[in-house]
Each structure stands twice: as structure tokens, then as C-alpha cells.
Amino acid sequence: MFQATRRRLAIWYTAVTAVLLLLFASGVYLYVRSTLIERIDDTLNHVVEIVERSLVIEPVNSDVDQFRINVEASFRNNADTVEDDHIDLEWFSPTGELLWSTLSEPLNIPIHANRTGETVRVIKGEKGTWGDSGLLLRQITQRVQMGRQVLGYLRVSHPWFEVTKPSRQFMLDLAIGIWLMVLSVAASGWFLSGKAMEPVGESYQRLKQFTADASHELRSPIALIQTNVQVALADLEWRETQTTTSLNYRQQLKVVERLTQRLGKLVNDLLFLARQDSGISKDVFSPCPLDALLMEVVEEQQLLATEKEITLTLDLVDPPASETSPELLENWFTLLGKWDELVRLFTNLISNALQYTPPGGRVNVELAHLEGNNRVSRIRYTTSQLQIKVSDTGVGIPAEALPRLFDRFYRVDPARSHSAGNTAKDNTTGSGLGLAIAQAIVEHHQGQIQVESTLGKGTTFFVTLPITLEY
């Protein structure tokens, strides 16, 4: 499918470029051809002007009202000059009779005045000099007169091959150039269409993987719900015939309720990610005191930490002593964001840290205000930002799993949960979307999230969020 689309794109690129090149080449060819014709016409007109000034005009029989052209005196010095320029001259009497010519054979073309230039084809007989194909000439005919008396006609001819020869050569050069350009555009179009199809192919592969993973995740709870409902219905039919306790029936309903809640959470997570990807999520940002938000999240997670015998702490890095502005100190940990999304972000990170930390371990959350051009854990910042570090002393993450840690439905080896002292129940509740949702929330707030981990020693997540957003 993608190869066919790539071919179509390349063909379209090539076809459109070829049409544009043909239009451009046609315009250039017509311009060059018209320029050559104008130059020849200008040359012919210039020759006519020179010859007219060199004509020897004499009175006829001492009659001051009648004049004639002395042909011998007028044209004796013109033959050699015009021959060198490939220009032929013909002089005709007022009646159209050829009196003098530089041509070896008369052209037998009717005389008519034409100052703008015309192209004529001269065809001789079987024994003619030019053969059956004839000869193309560019001609200008000038009527010479004294007052109202017509003294004769001067016709100047120029071979048309002076236009056709360079025109054909130019057309050949254009054709070769266009062909090479079309081949280059075809190769470039194939390359560029491949580049254009790469993100489409990647998106398609991600969509296929996402669909497969989502189908797999949804299939399991749905199958369990169906099984438990069937068992509950069978138990209900059995109870109708015998007197028994409703304990088994309630257990089946509780399992169905728990699976339904899990399924609903999974659907909500998928819907959240779909909205983030499509950009339809409404960006209603408001000032959020991040210190108060983290206190609330840590307080909510404190019960789970106590149950697992894990020490959960929150550290707020105090502003520098040089900072004395009351307004700035009051909003030291305040940023523009969405409260619910930020709560979800840090709830995911802290609950993950608690899940993979064994009893007796420690989970620490640190909030700091960063300013200036500094580097903290490979994150460079040049404006005011808030950095949150969620670190634990848990089992850690293998190095080969770090690049895919934020992929959707990706889960590290389940043995990590067992090594952290979790129950099988904890293992089945994860869908592999928590960190993907965390990354989507961070990117929605124009921030960055990174992770550092050492297997067997612990993991630290770095979240850096700008205090003000850029639009």
C-alpha cells in the first residue's frame, strides 16, 4: 500500500514538474525565436537604408520632373559586401522587371512592398538549384520613389536557416535539458515521497501496534466478565432449585464489578491518549501551585506507603536568600497548567515508585525552582522552570528497557513486581499506559520527562515544566 502511494506521489511530482518545464521551455523557445527574427528584420531594414542612400538618381532626358536610377553606378560596389553577410539584393523597375540581382537565378516572386518582413518558400524545378524541398528566405521589399514617381523596388533577402539552424539547436538543447531535469525530478520525487511516507508508515505501524495491544488488553477483562456472568447465572439457576447461601453469587458479582472497573479505567486511559494525540483536548490553563498539588498527592499515597512499610517524603527546595520579593516568593512554585492532569501525572509516578519499591525502602519527591542557564540531569533550561524528581530505592529498570519505557502498553518483565514484594493482584491491574499518559501530560505542558535507573538500586524520574507556556 505504501509503495503504491509512494509511486503515485513520485509520478505526480514528475508529471507536474514536466508540464511546468515544458511550458517554461516553450516560452523560452518562442522568445529566442522571435528575438532571432527581429534581429534579422532589423539587419534587413538597415541594409535597405544603406542601399537607398547609395542609389544614384538621375533626371531622364534633362526633364526635371522625371527621374531614373543609374543601376550600374548604384550597385557596382554592393555585390561583394552583401554576399559576405548572406544577404541578397534585387532591384526591380517600376513595372516589376528584374534589373539587377546578386542571386544566381531569379526567384520569380511577385513584387509587393513589405517593410515588416515576410518568410517565403522558393521552389525550383527538377533542375533547380534548390531542389524540390525549396529554399526559405526572409525578405523585405522597399518601394523607392521620388515625390510621387516610383523609381523601382528594392528587395533584400536573407536565408531562413539563420533562424532555423540556431532554433533547432536550441530546441535540441532544451529537449536534452528537460529530459535530464525530468529524470532528476523523478529520482528526487521518489526520494522525497519516501521521506514523506516515513512518518505515515511509522504512524500506521504505531496504530497497528496500538490496536493489537488494545485488543489484547480489552479481550482479557471482557472474557473474564463473560465467564463470571455465566457462572453467576448458572449459580442463580441452581439456587432456584435448592436452598443455599448467596456467598458464591456475591463473590462472582464482586469479580465482575472489579473487572468492569478495570475495563472502565483502561477505556478512560485510551480515550485520554486519543484526545491528546488528536489535539481536541481543550487547553484551559490556570495558575497551579505545584507545592500544594504535590502535598495533596503525597498525602493520598501516604496510606499505601504506610501499608507497604515504605518511607514517602516530600522536599521543597527553599528559594535563595537573595530573593526578597514577596510576590515572587508567594508564587515561587506556581506554574500555568491543568490541575487534574498534573495530579494524574504525579500520582502515576509516585504510585509506580511505591509499587516497585520493596518494604523498608524509600520514595522521595523533590520540588525545585530552576532559573538561569543551567544543566540538571542532562536537561538544559534557559528560562524559569520547575523540576520535580521522583526517586525510589526500588528494584530498578534494565538498561535495555529504558528506551521503550514510555511506549504504550509496554511493561517491563513482570518479575520486577514479584521482586518488589507485590502480589499477583498488583501485576494484573497494570495496563502499561501509566508512563505513556505521564509523557503525554508533560508534553501537553511543554515540558520534558526523563528517567535514570540502576538495576537493583533504584529509579529517578525527572520532570521539568516551564512556569509560563509559549504559544
Side-chain angles (χ1 to χ4, degrees):
M1 178 181 70
F2 291 104
Q3 289 298 322
T5 304
R6 183 180 182 182
R7 282 194 298 269
R8 285 196 294 268
L9 285 175
I11 291 173
W12 272 107
Y13 289 152
T14 306
V16 171
T17 305
V19 171
L20 294 177
L21 286 175
L22 285 174
L23 292 176
F24 174 76
S26 299
V28 172
Y29 173 76
L30 292 176
Y31 171 76
V32 172
R33 181 184 174 88
S34 62
T35 301
L36 290 174
I37 294 175
E38 289 178 0
R39 289 181 59 184
I40 290 178
D41 288 345
D42 291 341
T43 301
L44 294 178
N45 282 310
H46 181 65
V47 171
V48 168
E49 293 176 0
I50 293 176
V51 173
E52 278 188 328
R53 289 198 296 266
S54 65
L55 292 177
V56 178
I57 303 176
E58 299 175 345
V60 179
N61 299 326
S62 301
D63 188 349
V64 294
D65 295 330
Q66 295 294 323
F67 300 92
R68 69 179 182 87
I69 299 296
N70 189 333
V71 177
E72 294 181 0
S74 300
F75 295 102
R76 64 172 177 264
N77 296 323
N78 292 327
D80 295 336
T81 303
V82 296
E83 184 178 357
D84 293 338
D85 295 331
H86 302 285
I87 295 176
D88 292 305
L89 303 178
E90 295 174 283
W91 176 255
F92 298 87
S93 67
T95 60
E97 179 184 358
L98 179 62
L99 301 179
W100 185 87
S101 173
T102 60
L103 296 169
S104 59
E105 297 183 18
L107 299 178
N108 296 325
I109 298 176
I111 291 297
H112 62 278
N114 181 19
R115 289 278 300 179
T116 58
E118 62 179 347
T119 304
V120 297
R121 179 183 293 273
V122 181
I123 300 178
K124 301 296 289 184
E126 295 182 357
K127 298 181 180 180
T129 305
W130 303 297
D132 295 336
S133 61
L135 176 68
L136 285 175
L137 296 174
R138 186 72 177 177
Q139 293 183 339
I140 287 181
T141 304
Q142 173 68 27
R143 182 173 56 241
V144 180
Q145 60 186 36
M146 179 70 70
R148 294 184 177 181
Q149 180 186 357
V150 178
L151 303 179
Y153 294 89
L154 175 64
R155 185 163 66 190
V156 183
S157 302
H158 192 287
W160 187 244
F161 70 82
E162 294 289 344
V163 174
T164 57
K165 184 177 180 180
S167 297
R168 290 173 181 172
Q169 183 62 42
F170 185 63
M171 183 184 296
L172 179 61
D173 295 340
L174 283 177
I176 296 175
I178 291 175
W179 179 248
L180 293 177
M181 285 295 296
V182 168
L183 291 179
S184 302
V185 169
S188 302
W190 179 257
F191 174 76
L192 293 176
S193 60
K195 287 294 184 181
M197 292 301 297
E198 282 182 2
V200 179
E202 293 174 359
S203 300
Y204 179 73
Q205 293 300 326
R206 286 197 300 268
L207 179 61
K208 286 178 60 179
Q209 185 65 37
F210 179 80
T211 304
D213 293 338
S215 301
H216 175 74
E217 294 293 335
L218 292 172
R219 188 184 300 115
S220 178
I222 291 176
L224 291 174
I225 289 174
Q226 290 176 344
T227 302
N228 281 274
V229 169
Q230 291 172 357
V231 172
L233 291 175
D235 184 62
L236 181 61
E237 292 177 357
W238 181 76
R239 286 179 58 208
E240 290 176 352
T241 59
Q242 300 184 19
T243 304
T244 183
T245 179
S246 62
L247 179 61
N248 291 336
Y249 186 68
R250 288 184 177 180
Q251 287 178 346
Q252 297 297 333
L253 290 180
K254 286 182 179 180
V255 171
V256 171
E257 181 184 13
R258 187 167 63 251
L259 291 173
T260 304
Q261 291 176 351
R262 176 186 169 191
L263 186 61
K265 182 178 182 301
L266 177 60
V267 172
N268 288 333
D269 290 345
L270 292 174
L271 181 60
F272 176 82
L273 290 173
R275 287 178 175 175
Q276 294 295 324
D277 291 341
S278 62
I280 63 175
S281 179
K282 295 182 180 178
D283 295 333
V284 181
F285 294 99
S286 59
C288 296
L290 204 58
D291 50 349
L293 185 147
L294 289 175
M295 289 179 185
E296 180 179 310
V297 174
V298 169
E299 183 179 358
E300 293 174 354
Q301 298 293 319
Q302 193 67 52
L303 181 61
L304 178 61
T306 303
E307 179 183 345
K308 298 187 63 175
E309 300 178 357
I310 298 174
T311 303
L312 176 60
T313 58
L314 171 63
D315 294 334
L316 303 178
V317 179
D318 295 331
S322 59
E323 186 59 58
T324 58
S325 173
E327 182 179 357
L328 187 58
L329 291 175
E330 182 179 357
N331 300 307
W332 189 248
F333 296 117
T334 301
L335 54 74
L336 286 178
K338 300 183 72 172
W339 181 276
D340 294 339
E341 291 188 3
L342 293 175
V343 168
R344 189 172 190 177
L345 163 65
F346 296 113
T347 298
N348 285 349
L349 295 179
I350 296 174
S351 62
N352 273 353
L354 293 174
Q355 181 179 357
Y356 296 110
T357 300
R362 180 182 180 86
V363 174
N364 181 65
V365 181
E366 179 184 297
L367 173 62
H369 183 115
L370 308 179
E371 281 209 61
N373 189 7
N374 296 293
R375 178 182 290 274
V376 177
S377 180
R378 303 195 306 269
I379 301 177
R380 180 175 292 277
Y381 52 92
T382 57
T383 58
S384 297
Q385 295 180 337
L386 296 181
Q387 185 187 67
I388 304 90
K389 290 194 296 185
V390 180
S391 56
D392 62 63
T393 58
V395 295
I397 303 172
E400 62 273 11
L402 291 178
R404 297 193 57 196
L405 196 60
F406 296 99
D407 291 351
R408 298 174 186 181
F409 296 108
Y410 178 75
R411 283 174 287 194
V412 190
D413 187 0
R416 294 177 65 241
S417 296
H418 294 297
S419 63
N422 292 328
T423 64
K425 176 182 175 182
D426 294 328
N427 266 340
T428 59
T429 56
S431 61
L433 293 176
L435 291 180
I437 291 175
Q439 185 183 46
I441 294 174
V442 171
E443 291 177 351
H444 190 210
H445 287 76
Q446 301 179 8
Q448 298 180 17
I449 181 170
Q450 292 185 345
V451 59
E452 293 180 352
S453 183
T454 302
L455 197 61
K457 293 185 178 181
T459 303
T460 301
F461 283 88
F462 299 87
V463 177
T464 306
L465 300 173
I467 291 179
T468 57
L469 301 177
E470 297 181 1
Y471 296 96

